[in-house]
Amino acid sequence: MCGIVAYIGNKNALPILINGLRRLEYRGYDSAGVAILNNGEFLSAKSVGKIDNLATKLNGQDLAGTYGIAHTRWATHGGVTEANAHPHADCTGKIILAHNGIIENYRELKEELGASHTYKSETDSEVLAHLIEIYYKGDLRKAVLEALARVRGTYGLVVMHSDHPNTLIAARMGSPLVVGIGDNEFYIGSDASPMLAYTKKVIFLDDGEVTEISREQMNTVNLKDINVAKHVEEIEWDEAQAQKQGFPHFMLKEIFDQPTVMADAIRGRYNLADGIAHLGGLNMSLEQMHSVKRVVLIACGTASYAALVGKYMFERLAGIPTEVDVASEFRYRDPIIDSQTLVFGISQSGETADTLAALKEAKRKGAFVRGIVNVVGSTIARETDGGVYIHAGPELAVASSKAFTNMVAALLLCALQFGRINKLTLATGQRLLNALQEIPEKMQIILQQSDKIKELAEKYQNCRDFFFLGRGINFPVALEGSLKLKEITYIHSEAYPGGEMKHGPIALLSPQFPVFAIMTKNQLYDKMRSNIEEVKARHAPIILLATEGDDKASELAQDIIYVPPTMEVLEPLLNVIPLQLFSYHLAVALGRDVDRPRNLAKSVTVE
Ligand code: AGP
């Protein structure tokens, strides 16, 4: 995720900005830049790669000044290049800005701005600088407000103007911004970590707020230019906590990120009126899409469980036979692949060696090869002929959480796009999209049960074995829940389709062998209920995941976690969250290194 640092005050800005960027490195980035007002004009430097490259470039340059912006970029639109690094300027070079987020309608705005504007980058962010330029008539705050009124998307934004050396504008919509208060000076950051060395007094901007800052004061308004009262907070976090925005671990922060990044994953990628998804990045003509007779989903670990959910979605929504292959097995089993096969490589990091090798094999055999990845510009993103970025933001905890749900959302949109050029009706497409729009809010409802799930997890902390059961589209959710438990608590766990227990595994059940069963209201509810009755008859403790309002669930178990209802094909987006929280809290109770579990790497770049 990008990082912003800005300063307006009486100290030399450069060291504050560069040190501030270093505090934001944890967010993940691929380039960096800085701009400082020096003798009435902005001097800037940008570099690809680490901040050290930027610092080296700055050695010897006289970027003296007390008013400046710095940025670390995590590419979303446009490749990893110096030109695409922020800050960006307008045509005059008098307006500069740094931006976090996605300007969804940047193409339309760029078209409207017309050929009179010259651009130095491929980014959506630079368009915003030119939009402010056309609205600027001497009042920078008003120009920013008018420009933001035209924008659809998300932003954490800082804007400066060389003719206003005592004015900095900051605005927030969906990407956090924090203002640190000093003595006749202000610090701005994507979180509090860049300013903690100078001040603990901060103001957190909220969505829809624009604040005008001078060395003497700050004044905040909403998007209608009406004053908003803000209160100063004294934060007690240390730097590490600030990077986790107050959460004790990156993993918990990323579990709680899911409603926000889910909205990012689907934003601008569907049309409700037509009940369709439109994923331009798939880079397939209608004729090519119609030629696809089989889909193969290739991945590892958590991504392979997202792929299993994708199988249900493609077959149910698009009516296309779909297989899932663990990448490390795919190329050694003589796969039947041809020019009518669409192969997706699914990967958070986009660097997993097994997945990359499998995709190369599929390409050699003439398949359509596409990626569903999180890291823009990653090897898999570059090696495939298109695909879908999942927009989950950097996932720093080794155990995946938000990447899983965003991968599933991306697969859903792909299945919908194929389904609607085949048999899927307008009504079903609209019903699906209406239900999808409600998912972020329903995720929030589940996250509010975190403390309850914590108590439940602690109750089971002495268990040494677990089963996770699910049926249909929830079986992959059981697999993911079981992997989470193994990865971060080091407790043995297995996942089975509910109907499979009686074919052997049930021999293991005992009062010391709990079973976590997903029994949400769907077409397999009654079947799952009978499987759980088989478990109950062996006196194994049962933890149930049930749908709100299912008052019969308590006949089977005392420990029940309720989730909101949704369409069956969307259930994995909700049902996985209690399993993530259960494993997280159990790992914390056991004193595990939750963010860096033993033996694991975030990206397995060896076969
Ligand atoms: C997820 O919790 C694991 N850390 C691991 O299974 C991971 O999903 C797998 O290594 C694939 O990684 P990728 O998504 O980056 O390709």
Side-chain angles (χ1 to χ4, degrees):
M1 199 173 335
C2 305
I4 291 180
V5 184
Y7 176 74
I8 179 169
N10 303 300
K11 297 191 186 89
N12 191 14
L14 188 59
I16 293 169
L17 297 174
I18 297 301
N19 292 334
L21 287 187
R22 293 189 191 286
R23 300 292 176 281
L24 296 179
E25 287 195 279
Y26 74 91
R27 300 163 69 89
Y29 67 102
D30 42 51
S31 57
V34 62
I36 291 179
L37 188 67
N38 176 290
N39 294 327
E41 64 171 342
F42 283 111
L43 299 183
S44 66
K46 299 178 177 183
S47 70
V48 166
K50 292 300 174 199
I51 288 164
D52 287 343
N53 300 348
L54 180 63
T56 306
K57 204 167 210 181
L58 286 163
N59 279 343
Q61 279 197 44
D62 174 25
L63 249 62
T66 62
Y67 172 63
I69 300 181
H71 184 269
T72 47
R73 179 172 182 251
W74 203 69
T76 53
H77 294 74
V80 179
T81 64
E82 275 190 23
N84 286 339
H86 302 212
H88 289 297
D90 69 329
C91 296
T92 69
K94 285 176 170 286
I95 295 172
I96 61 158
L97 62 78
H99 166 240
N100 286 358
I102 295 171
I103 307 296
E104 193 186 302
N105 61 329
Y106 81 99
R107 289 186 183 84
E108 298 100 287
L109 292 169
K110 193 167 186 174
E111 212 169 292
E112 192 185 307
L113 285 164
S116 64
H117 288 262
T118 51
Y119 298 89
K120 295 188 178 119
S121 80
E122 312 159 299
T123 65
D124 54 330
S125 308
E126 186 185 1
V127 175
L128 201 44
H130 293 266
L131 195 63
I132 295 167
E133 176 190 353
I134 62 163
Y135 287 116
Y136 176 73
K137 304 284 183 293
D139 182 323
L140 188 57
R141 189 191 80 247
K142 286 196 180 313
V144 171
L145 281 165
E146 289 182 66
L148 293 180
R150 306 293 317 285
V151 159
R152 275 201 329 272
T154 57
Y155 49 82
L157 177 68
V158 175
V159 186
M160 294 183 168
H161 194 298
S162 55
D163 294 347
H164 300 267
N166 194 28
T167 302
L168 177 151
I169 307 293
R172 175 192 161 150
M173 180 65 79
S175 289
L177 273 183
V178 185
V179 180
I181 300 164
D183 183 10
N184 281 330
E185 59 181 4
F186 289 86
Y187 304 81
I188 292 86
S190 299
D191 62 39
S193 50
M195 57 198 74
L196 289 181
Y198 311 101
T199 180
K200 296 255 185 184
K201 288 183 184 169
V202 299
I203 285 178
F204 292 93
L205 287 189
D206 291 309
D207 282 353
E209 293 180 348
V210 178
T211 195
E212 180 172 0
I213 300 174
S214 69
R215 286 174 179 76
E216 296 74 33
Q217 63 178 10
M218 68 181 279
N219 178 54
T220 304
V221 295
N222 62 21
L223 292 174
K224 293 188 172 56
D225 205 4
I226 295 166
N227 277 338
V228 173
K230 299 297 289 177
H231 63 275
V232 178
E233 302 193 33
E234 185 90 18
I235 54 171
E236 296 311 320
W237 297 338
D238 60 25
E239 192 174 291
Q241 284 168 317
Q243 292 177 345
K244 300 177 189 103
Q245 285 162 31
F247 286 99
H249 298 101
F250 280 114
M251 184 171 179
L252 190 59
K253 174 189 171 296
E254 288 156 10
I255 290 172
F256 274 76
D257 275 348
Q258 289 178 109
T260 303
V261 299
M262 174 56 56
D264 291 346
I266 61 179
R267 182 178 292 111
R269 288 175 156 176
Y270 62 90
N271 175 320
L272 188 55
D274 297 334
I276 60 170
H278 50 83
L279 297 162
L282 269 184
N283 189 24
M284 290 180 80
S285 67
L286 191 58
E287 186 191 0
Q288 287 174 323
M289 288 175 69
H290 274 305
S291 74
V292 170
K293 295 294 176 276
R294 202 156 62 88
V295 171
V296 176
L297 306 173
I298 295 174
C300 302
T302 286
S304 72
Y305 304 144
L308 279 170
V309 175
K311 169 185 168 68
Y312 285 94
M313 293 173 160
F314 262 98
E315 292 186 341
R316 189 167 302 174
L317 300 177
I320 302 175
T322 303
E323 291 167 42
V324 175
D325 260 291
V326 168
S328 53
E329 292 295 310
F330 174 78
R331 48 206 276 246
Y332 301 110
R333 68 168 182 80
D334 302 322
I336 311 299
I337 298 287
D338 61 22
S339 61
Q340 295 183 313
T341 310
L342 169 58
V343 174
F344 281 102
I346 304 165
S347 173
Q348 188 287 130
S349 62
E351 301 300 340
T352 300
D354 286 326
T355 307
L356 185 57
L359 287 172
K360 286 179 177 171
E361 183 69 8
K363 210 166 184 176
R364 263 191 291 276
K365 294 179 180 294
F368 293 108
V369 177
R370 298 295 182 270
I372 292 180
V373 301
N374 192 31
V375 180
V376 174
S378 56
T379 306
I380 290 175
R382 284 181 282 109
E383 288 286 327
T384 47
D385 303 319
V388 183
Y389 283 126
I390 67 170
H391 293 325
E395 189 176 67
L396 302 170
V398 166
S400 189
S401 53
K402 59 180 180 175
F404 174 82
T405 38
N406 272 31
M407 283 171 187
V408 168
L411 285 159
L412 176 85
L413 292 172
C414 291
L416 176 61
Q417 182 150 336
F418 276 85
R420 288 285 287 121
I421 64 168
N422 290 312
K423 298 188 184 61
L424 201 67
T425 63
L426 167 64
T428 306
Q430 288 176 325
R431 195 159 61 86
L432 188 73
L433 290 171
N434 277 316
L436 181 60
Q437 287 181 138
E438 295 171 354
I439 290 296
E441 195 180 322
K442 292 183 173 180
M443 286 178 156
Q444 286 290 10
I445 291 170
I446 298 170
L447 290 168
Q448 285 159 17
Q449 298 184 63
S450 180
D451 289 343
K452 172 176 181 272
I453 296 170
K454 177 173 183 289
E455 281 172 31
L456 189 61
E458 289 165 352
K459 176 177 169 186
Y460 287 88
Q461 64 178 303
N462 297 319
C463 294
R464 285 294 159 266
D465 298 285
F466 266 87
F467 272 150
F468 285 78
L469 299 184
R471 288 190 75 131
I473 203 165
N474 284 305
F475 170 50
V477 179
L479 285 165
E480 173 56 11
S482 175
L483 176 63
K484 290 281 95 49
L485 194 80
K486 283 189 274 255
E487 279 192 296
I488 60 177
T489 70
Y490 316 149
I491 292 173
H492 164 251
S493 144
E494 298 178 52
Y496 279 96
E500 191 57 15
M501 275 299 275
K502 56 188 173 297
H503 298 288
I506 200 163
L508 289 175
L509 291 187
S510 76
Q512 290 73 41
F513 203 124
V515 174
F516 201 127
I518 303 170
M519 188 186 78
T520 41
K521 282 278 190 180
N522 57 39
Q523 61 179 331
L524 293 168
Y525 176 82
D526 293 333
K527 295 280 185 194
M528 192 66 204
R529 195 178 167 81
S530 345
N531 300 146
I532 295 164
E533 274 155 5
E534 294 158 16
V535 171
K536 187 175 166 66
R538 275 76 185 175
H539 310 298
I542 295 171
I543 303 167
L544 270 190
L545 198 62
T547 304
E548 284 170 1
D550 180 0
D551 48 18
K552 290 177 68 177
S554 54
E555 295 166 12
L556 289 173
Q558 285 66 46
D559 295 328
I560 305 174
I561 302 167
Y562 286 100
V563 294
T566 187
M567 284 177 75
E568 182 171 332
V569 76
L570 299 181
E571 282 190 19
L573 296 171
L574 299 180
N575 295 351
V576 74
I577 296 178
L579 278 58
Q580 294 167 343
L581 289 169
F582 182 81
S583 293
Y584 168 79
H585 288 304
L586 188 42
V588 170
L590 294 170
R592 305 298 190 220
D593 183 353
V594 176
D595 284 336
R596 299 278 174 274
R598 69 184 184 196
N599 309 337
L600 294 183
K602 183 58 186 172
S603 176
V604 184
T605 53
V606 292
E607 288 189 37

